[in-house]
């Protein structure tokens, strides 16, 4: 098999600036404002591959596109004029010849279809059954596009995104999928007439369906007690009442916490005042000490003066015996007594102030004690009363929700069981040797069904699909069944694009991991379309982000190209996830305004 991926798409026009978009062999996201040319990039790729739909209006002046694909053995370019059915191929890969190929059949030129099938590893052109009588038609690349290209105009389909509406196209595509999956043409005369093969296939499908039936029965037994216990309406009424009680208790807790915070702030304010009073009291004590020291100093002066006055003065110098001339010393007694009276008055005032400060501090300490008691009482009420009541209510809500979920699961498995029984009736072994009408869906074996069911659950879980109970791929509708319903049963049209994207990813994964052949590329235009159109949109952001996070991990499965409006693309670290982001913007001059450089939308 020759692996290939899209390297670039280029638009040309006389007198026009050549416009090229490059891609990587991995995950590519094209994002931008509406009408900036995201879809034109994709339709240009398809046009260069051989599709009939023209990518842009001829009045733009662009009239030629060139697609370059990479392969391990060299690049291959496909160039197509706007109004031509011819495609010029230049190949560095020895297995693909240079030349001019045609998009049509029954001409002298080789169809471009043969090139694309060869790039998938299909050497001989398969002729597949196109109706129940096994009328043969060639397998075409355009026919296979439904497997690797999800169109923006069809992504919200309520029917299967893979299976065409027209019956003849439907049978041919199903035959093609069988060929890609198993490498066999099941509509050949030998296989169609071989009743032993048909019988063995039916027995395998019966065994597979019986296993699923047994699983559904065991789940129904486990869940039956919940189904018989109480009516949904009663459960939901009780749940609503309990939820209201939960809201009330949460309000009480919130109010109590606010009160606790308010009291805590008051405690801090009172403690601050007490601290300030302690500092003031220390200063007053220091001043009181200073006043007492001043009194003692003044008393010492007056006492010393009195002692000196009571002694007989010395008239002769003890050293030279000369007469000493005595001077009358001034008296400090009156001044000292006046100063002492003034200080004592200050002491009296200071003492009264100290008593007042001590009284105020005592009041504050009493207030602080009351506030702390109130704070402890509020917190004890929260921890010992409100929180346990909230915990009990949460347990009740969880119990009610579990009962509702289990009843919902019971209904899902009931419906699943009924559908399995209907499927079993279709696989009752027929011992007749007469050839039957060709029914391609009968040739998808148990392994295909089991693999697709596993892929469905894996992708839905990884993309955070809400309230997921069970999911499986229904062969009859060729579509996904989630929680027992179709894509619009539970969530409406807003989820259709998302679920159709999941189905496309399931087929991609199956062909890569288990198929004989695979296109190797997947192109999805607007996977979140509908979720942002006001159509019953209750999808959580986690689901939208989950889808793009899942995209980021798919590089090992081959190339993926996703186009989506900029406002819908979640913020992720795409650079560190090795995702190539191509961004268009109408209003930001630092970014490319669109695909066609000379066309401003």
């Amino acid at each position: 098999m020759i692996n290939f991926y899209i390297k670039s798409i280029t638009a040309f026009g006389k007198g026009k600036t050549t416009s090229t978009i490059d891609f990587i062999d991995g995950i590519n996201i094209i994002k931008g404002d509406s009408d900036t040319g995201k879809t034109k990039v994709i339709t240009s790729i398809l046009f260069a591959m051989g599709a009939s739909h023209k990518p842009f209006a001829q009045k733009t002046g662009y009239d030629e596109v060139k697609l370059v694909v990479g392969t391990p053995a060299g690049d291959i370019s496909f160039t197509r004029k706007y109004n031509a059915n011819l495609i010029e191929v230049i190949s560095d890969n020895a297995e693909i010849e240079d030349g001019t190929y045609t998009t049509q059949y029954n001409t002298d030129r080789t169809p471009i279809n043969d090139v694309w099938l060869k790039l998938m590893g299909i050497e001989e052109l398969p002729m597949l059954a196109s109706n129940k009588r096994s009328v043969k038609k060639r397998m075409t690349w355009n026919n296979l596009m439904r497997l690797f290209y999800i169109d923006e105009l069809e992504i919200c389909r309520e029917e299967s995104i893979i299976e065409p509406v027209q019956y003849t196209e439907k049978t041919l595509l199903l035959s093609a999928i069988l060929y890609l999956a198993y490498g066999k043409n099941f509509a050949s005369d030998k296989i169609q007439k071989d009743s032993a093969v048909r019988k063995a296939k039916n027995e395998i499908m019966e065994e597979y369906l019986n296993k699923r039936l047994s699983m559904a029965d065991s789940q129904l037994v486990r869940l039956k007690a919940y189904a018989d216990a109480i009516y949904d309406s009663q459960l939901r009424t009780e749940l609503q009442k309990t939820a209201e009680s939960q809201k009330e208790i949460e309000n009480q807790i919130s109010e109590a916490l606010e009160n606790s915070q308010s009291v805590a702030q008051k405690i801090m304010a009172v403690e601050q005042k007490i601290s300030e009073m302690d500092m003031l009291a220390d200063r007053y004590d220091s001043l009181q000490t200073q006043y007492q020291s001043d009194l003692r100093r003044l008393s010492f002066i007056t006492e010393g003066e009195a002692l000196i006055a009571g002694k007989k003065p010395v008239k002769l110098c003890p050293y030279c015996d000369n007469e000493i001339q005595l001077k009358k010393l001034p008296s400090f007694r009156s001044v000292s007594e006046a100063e002492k009276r003034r200080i004592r008055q200050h002491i009296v005032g200071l003492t009264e102030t100290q008593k007042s400060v001590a009284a105020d501090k005592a009041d504050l300490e009493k207030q602080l004690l009351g506030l702390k008691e109130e704070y402890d009482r509020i917190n004890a009420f929260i921890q010992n009363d409100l929180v346990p009541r909230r915990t009990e209510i949460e347990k009740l809500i969880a119990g009610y929700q579990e009962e509702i979920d289990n009843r919902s699961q019971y209904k899902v498995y009931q419906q699943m069981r009924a559908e399995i029984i209907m499927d079993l009736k279709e696989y009752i072994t027929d011992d007749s040797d007469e050839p039957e009408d060709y029914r391609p869906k009968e040739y998808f074996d148990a392994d295909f069904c089991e693999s697709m069911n596993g892929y469905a659950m894996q992708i839905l879980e990884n993309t955070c699909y809400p309230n997921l109970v069970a999911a499986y791929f229904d062969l009859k509708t060729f579509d996904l069944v989630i929680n027992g319903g179709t894509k619009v049963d539970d969530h409406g049209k807003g989820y259709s694009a998302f679920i159709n994207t999941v189905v496309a990813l399931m087929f991609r994964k199956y062909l890569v991991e288990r198929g004989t052949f695979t296109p190797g590329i997947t192109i999805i235009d607007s996977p979140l379309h509908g979720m942002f159109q006001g159509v019953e949109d209750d999808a959580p952001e986690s689901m939208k982000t989950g889808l793009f996070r899942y995209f980021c991990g798919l590089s090992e499965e081959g190339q993926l190209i996703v186009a989506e409006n900029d406002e819908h693309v979640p913020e992720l670290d795409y650079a560190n996830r090795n995702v190539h982001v191509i961004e268009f913007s109408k209003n930001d001059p630092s970014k490319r305004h669109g695909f066609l450089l000379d066309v401003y939308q």
Side-chain angles (χ1 to χ4, degrees):
M1 179 185 297
I2 305 175
N3 297 317
F4 73 94
Y5 70 97
I6 296 169
K7 291 190 71 172
S8 66
I9 183 69
T10 303
F12 303 92
K14 186 177 181 180
K16 295 294 179 181
T17 304
T18 300
S19 302
T20 300
I21 298 294
D22 295 317
F23 300 92
I24 65 170
D25 185 11
I27 312 305
N28 301 266
I29 295 177
I30 309 172
K31 70 173 186 175
D33 302 328
S34 298
D35 299 323
T36 51
K38 300 184 298 295
T39 298
K40 287 181 173 61
V41 174
I42 294 173
T43 52
S44 295
I45 292 171
L46 301 177
F47 183 69
M49 286 180 171
S52 59
H53 180 68
K54 295 177 174 60
F56 32 77
Q58 196 165 3
K59 65 181 180 181
T60 63
Y62 287 89
D63 59 1
E64 184 178 6
V65 294
K66 177 182 177 181
L67 173 69
V68 177
V69 301
T71 76
D75 294 348
I76 308 170
S77 68
F78 301 79
T79 305
R80 184 178 180 185
K81 290 286 187 181
Y82 195 77
N83 289 318
N85 293 322
L86 300 178
I87 299 176
E88 190 70 29
V89 175
I90 300 176
S91 175
D92 294 331
N93 188 316
E95 296 187 42
I96 303 297
E97 294 182 2
D98 292 349
T100 302
Y101 294 77
T102 178
T103 62
Q104 299 177 330
Y105 299 92
N106 301 323
T107 69
D108 294 337
R109 297 185 184 275
T110 304
I112 195 67
N113 182 67
D114 294 5
V115 175
W116 291 111
L117 294 185
K118 192 169 186 178
L119 285 173
M120 289 176 60
I122 301 173
E123 297 292 340
E124 295 183 7
L125 179 65
M127 298 298 291
L128 305 175
S130 62
N131 58 27
K132 65 181 182 179
R133 299 302 178 193
S134 297
V135 174
K136 304 296 190 300
K137 286 187 178 180
R138 64 174 59 86
M139 183 169 72
T140 68
W141 182 250
N142 285 341
N143 182 239
L144 292 177
M145 278 186 184
R146 298 191 71 90
L147 285 174
F148 67 84
Y149 167 53
I150 308 301
D151 186 354
E152 178 187 24
L153 299 177
E154 290 204 352
I155 199 165
C156 287
R157 278 184 58 175
E158 296 181 21
E159 303 83 9
S160 169
I161 193 65
I162 301 296
E163 196 173 40
V165 176
Q166 293 185 1
Y167 185 78
T168 52
E169 292 183 9
K170 181 184 301 186
T171 303
L172 182 59
L173 178 64
L174 292 174
S175 297
I177 295 173
L178 284 169
Y179 188 85
L180 296 183
Y182 305 111
K184 297 179 182 179
N185 186 351
F186 287 92
S188 66
D189 291 339
K190 180 180 179 181
I191 295 179
Q192 183 65 19
K193 293 180 180 180
D194 192 345
S195 61
V197 171
R198 192 165 60 248
K199 181 178 179 180
K201 175 186 67 65
N202 286 350
E203 289 175 351
I204 293 172
M205 285 302 296
E206 285 180 37
E207 181 182 357
Y208 163 71
L209 290 171
N210 277 315
K211 286 182 181 178
R212 287 190 61 207
L213 183 63
S214 176
M215 182 273 293
D217 285 339
S218 65
Q219 293 294 334
L220 287 172
V221 170
R222 179 179 67 85
L223 298 168
K224 192 173 190 306
Y226 293 99
D228 294 341
I230 193 169
Y231 291 109
D232 279 349
S233 58
Q234 290 177 268
L235 275 173
R236 296 189 184 279
T237 300
E238 291 299 324
L239 179 60
Q240 184 176 0
K241 289 180 180 178
T242 309
E244 290 172 357
S245 298
Q246 183 187 39
K247 185 177 180 180
E248 181 181 349
I249 200 71
E250 290 291 352
N251 289 337
Q252 291 181 23
I253 290 175
S254 178
E255 183 179 353
L257 288 172
E258 288 178 3
N259 291 337
S260 175
Q261 185 177 7
S262 175
V263 172
Q265 290 174 347
K266 290 178 181 178
I267 289 173
M268 291 176 63
V270 171
E271 287 177 337
Q272 179 67 25
K273 288 182 179 179
I274 291 175
S275 178
E276 291 172 357
M277 286 187 171
D278 285 338
M279 292 177 63
L280 190 60
D282 288 342
R283 291 177 182 176
Y284 288 161
D285 289 343
S286 297
L287 186 57
Q288 185 75 263
T289 301
Q290 182 64 44
Y291 282 160
Q292 295 298 332
S293 297
D294 289 345
L295 286 174
R296 287 192 296 272
R297 178 176 56 80
L298 291 170
S299 295
F300 176 75
I301 292 172
T302 55
E303 289 172 1
E305 185 178 335
L307 288 171
I308 291 173
K311 290 185 179 292
K312 188 177 180 179
V314 178
K315 295 183 178 181
L316 294 176
C317 175
Y319 298 103
C320 64
D321 286 335
N322 290 325
E323 186 178 355
I324 298 174
Q325 296 295 322
L326 297 176
K327 292 182 180 180
K328 188 176 181 179
L329 297 174
S331 176
F332 294 99
R333 186 177 186 85
S334 61
V335 176
S336 296
E337 290 298 329
E339 182 66 16
K340 286 166 71 175
R341 285 194 297 273
R342 187 184 67 80
I343 291 174
R344 287 192 184 99
Q345 289 175 354
H346 283 321
I347 288 174
V348 170
L350 180 60
T351 302
E352 291 299 322
T353 301
Q354 285 178 305
K355 290 179 180 179
S356 175
V357 169
D360 290 344
K361 179 182 176 183
D363 289 341
L364 287 173
E365 287 176 339
K366 184 178 179 181
Q367 182 182 351
L368 179 62
L369 181 62
L371 287 172
K372 286 184 175 180
E373 289 176 351
E374 183 180 1
Y375 181 79
D376 292 340
R377 179 183 58 78
I378 292 173
N379 286 332
F381 177 62
I382 293 173
Q383 296 301 322
N384 301 329
D385 189 352
L386 296 180
V387 171
R389 283 166 58 192
R390 180 177 65 180
T391 302
E392 189 63 30
I393 288 173
E394 287 173 347
K395 288 180 180 177
L396 282 173
I397 290 176
Y400 287 137
Q401 191 61 57
E402 182 181 6
E403 289 192 34
I404 291 172
D405 291 344
N406 284 325
R407 284 180 60 79
S408 175
Q409 289 184 48
Y410 183 81
K411 293 177 182 178
V412 169
Y413 285 114
Q414 267 189 324
Q415 182 173 351
M416 184 185 297
R417 185 180 189 279
E419 291 177 353
I420 292 171
I421 290 174
M422 290 179 62
D423 289 341
L424 273 170
K425 291 179 180 178
E426 295 183 10
Y427 285 99
I428 297 174
T429 303
D430 184 4
D431 294 331
S432 172
D433 291 332
E434 292 297 322
E436 297 178 347
D437 291 342
Y438 172 64
R439 298 183 181 90
K441 289 182 181 179
E442 293 183 357
Y443 292 94
F444 290 98
D445 60 18
D447 178 74
F448 173 84
C449 297
E450 201 162 338
S451 298
M452 292 293 278
N453 294 345
Y455 295 150
M457 288 297 294
Q458 176 188 340
I459 297 173
L460 290 171
E461 287 172 354
N462 287 337
T463 54
C464 305
Y465 191 89
N467 304 317
L468 179 65
V469 175
Y472 65 93
F473 184 75
D474 186 358
L475 269 178
K476 292 194 295 295
T477 62
F478 226 61
D479 208 349
L480 196 54
V481 176
I482 303 175
N483 294 344
T486 65
K487 62 174 72 91
V488 294
D489 282 346
D490 295 328
H491 301 290
K493 295 180 180 178
Y495 273 33
S496 292
F498 183 94
I499 296 173
N500 285 334
T501 299
V502 172
V503 172
L505 295 175
M506 288 162 55
F507 272 92
R508 166 190 170 97
K509 196 172 188 66
Y510 180 85
L511 291 178
V512 168
E513 294 184 357
R514 297 177 177 272
T516 304
F517 306 105
T518 178
I521 60 172
T522 302
I523 303 172
I524 303 174
D525 194 351
S526 305
L528 297 180
H529 186 73
M531 287 187 172
F532 299 92
Q533 307 300 319
V535 183
E536 303 178 38
D537 179 19
D538 60 349
E541 286 300 322
S542 59
M543 181 178 169
K544 301 166 186 175
T545 302
L547 180 62
F548 273 78
R549 187 178 290 113
Y550 184 75
F551 286 154
C552 294
L554 295 180
S555 58
E556 292 185 1
E557 293 181 9
Q559 189 178 48
L560 175 66
I561 300 174
V562 177
E564 185 57 86
N565 280 355
D566 184 29
E567 59 182 332
H568 303 162
V569 177
E571 294 292 334
L572 294 172
D573 188 0
Y574 294 107
N576 285 332
R577 296 170 187 265
N578 296 320
V579 174
H580 178 47
V581 177
I582 302 156
E583 188 171 3
F584 300 151
S585 177
K586 292 181 180 179
N587 304 316
D588 189 344
S590 66
K591 299 175 182 176
R592 182 168 177 162
H593 63 81
F595 173 36
L596 302 178
L597 296 177
D598 288 349
V599 177
Y600 292 84
Q601 300 296 332

